[in-house]
Amino acid sequence: VGYCQGMNFVAGLILKYLKSEAEAFGAFCVLMGDRNYRELFLPHMRFLHLRMSQLEQATPPEIAARLRDCQITAALYAPQWFLSCFANEMPTTFSARIIDALLQAPPDVTASEVLMKVALRVLIKLQPRICGGSASSGENFEFVLKSVRQVPKSWGAAELRALLSAAFLDSLPFRITRELVPPPPLQHMTTTSAASATTTARSPVQQRSHSMGNAAAALAPGRGISQRGAKQAAAAATTTTPYSLLDSDVMERLLGSKK
């Protein structure tokens, strides 16, 4: 895919918590490859448009009708959510929890699936503001769009945590299929960085997911993890239950539903 606008939010957030560039690159490869996040950045954004269309189809009827009346399409808010993993519009801890869940998710879970579930939960939580106005007008367009883009930024940590816990357990009314176009070979890497990346992000899904389980252990929003702390978290992740920002019972139900 190469670099695309929006990737910097995700890459920078991962690097913020993992510190090591090699680990951050490996985690980014898991998201792009194993979780198929790369489909949203493919040329002409064809899969981004597809996912936005599916988001509109899955939106509850009352909310969807109100957005249509105000002439607000998913293209006015969803790209900022999807292409930055919500980091551009929401607190970084919110995005970090999504990345954390993706790194530890079963192999059949895709980034688009999780991002759409979260987007739907955001819209549902905003329903009182979206549907609370009168007939459509220019003022209502501005009010509704501002509500969708700005109000979630004011939600507290408890509200965001509950939203994500509910979103991760939701089911979509359609199946997300994977993009089958193979990724291009890595280019413009020095011998040293290529060796580090190969060690950190192995090609088999199982090996890479296992190694990045240690990286996910360090993805704890709100914590300043030292190098020593990251090593301790990595060691613990190999012998105990992988670290998760989700409530333990929610994670158990999520993993159980995928078996």
Side-chain angles (χ1 to χ4, degrees):
V1 175
Y3 172 77
C4 296
Q5 187 174 2
M7 287 183 180
N8 58 309
F9 289 99
V10 179
L13 183 59
I14 294 175
L15 187 59
K16 174 183 176 181
Y17 289 107
L18 296 188
K19 305 302 181 181
S20 164
E21 290 187 7
E23 282 191 328
F25 180 75
F28 192 71
C29 286
V30 171
L31 292 179
M32 284 290 170
D34 298 349
R35 300 295 170 255
N36 203 32
Y37 192 32
R38 65 182 292 270
E39 72 166 16
L40 299 179
F41 298 92
L42 289 172
H44 309 297
M45 301 292 185
R46 62 185 187 277
F47 279 90
L48 175 61
H49 289 294
L50 172 62
R51 300 315 179 201
M52 289 192 297
S53 176
Q54 291 175 324
L55 175 62
E56 291 178 336
Q57 295 171 22
T59 301
E62 185 177 357
I63 300 176
R66 176 61 174 164
L67 292 175
R68 284 195 301 269
D69 288 343
C70 294
Q71 299 182 10
I72 297 175
T73 66
L76 294 177
Y77 56 87
Q80 290 80 7
W81 292 351
F82 290 172
L83 296 181
S84 68
C85 206
F86 285 88
N88 187 33
E89 298 278 313
M90 307 285 275
T92 55
T93 51
F94 185 84
S95 179
R97 283 199 66 207
I98 296 174
I99 294 173
D100 178 31
L102 284 172
L103 289 175
Q104 300 183 79
D108 60 325
V109 172
T110 66
S112 292
E113 175 186 354
V114 173
L115 292 173
M116 277 200 284
K117 288 179 180 181
V118 175
L120 285 171
R121 277 290 169 176
V122 171
L123 292 175
I124 290 172
K125 186 172 176 59
L126 287 169
Q127 182 169 357
R129 293 184 66 92
I130 294 175
C131 301
S134 57
S136 61
S137 67
E139 292 183 356
N140 282 334
F141 169 87
E142 186 175 344
F143 172 79
V144 172
L145 183 58
K146 184 176 181 180
S147 296
V148 174
R149 297 286 302 274
Q150 300 296 328
V151 171
K153 297 179 181 179
S154 66
W155 292 340
E159 291 178 286
L160 295 175
R161 187 181 182 87
L163 186 151
L164 285 179
S165 296
F168 293 148
L169 296 175
D170 284 342
S171 296
L172 293 174
F174 43 78
R175 182 175 176 80
I176 300 293
T177 57
R178 287 178 177 268
E179 162 60 28
L180 299 179
V181 177
L186 297 177
Q187 297 178 349
H188 309 301
M189 297 180 64
T190 64
T191 303
T192 302
S193 61
S196 299
T198 301
T199 301
T200 306
R202 304 169 187 173
S203 54
V205 173
Q206 294 84 356
Q207 293 179 0
R208 190 158 51 184
S209 296
H210 173 75
S211 65
M212 293 319 301
N214 298 340
L219 265 173
R223 296 185 182 180
I225 299 182
S226 64
Q227 186 175 10
R228 179 181 179 184
K231 290 181 178 179
Q232 291 175 341
T238 61
T239 57
T240 61
T241 303
Y243 177 83
S244 175
L245 296 174
L246 294 172
D247 297 324
S248 58
D249 60 326
V250 174
M251 178 56 79
E252 289 176 4
R253 289 165 58 194
L254 172 64
L255 297 178
S257 66
K258 294 294 181 180
K259 294 181 180 178

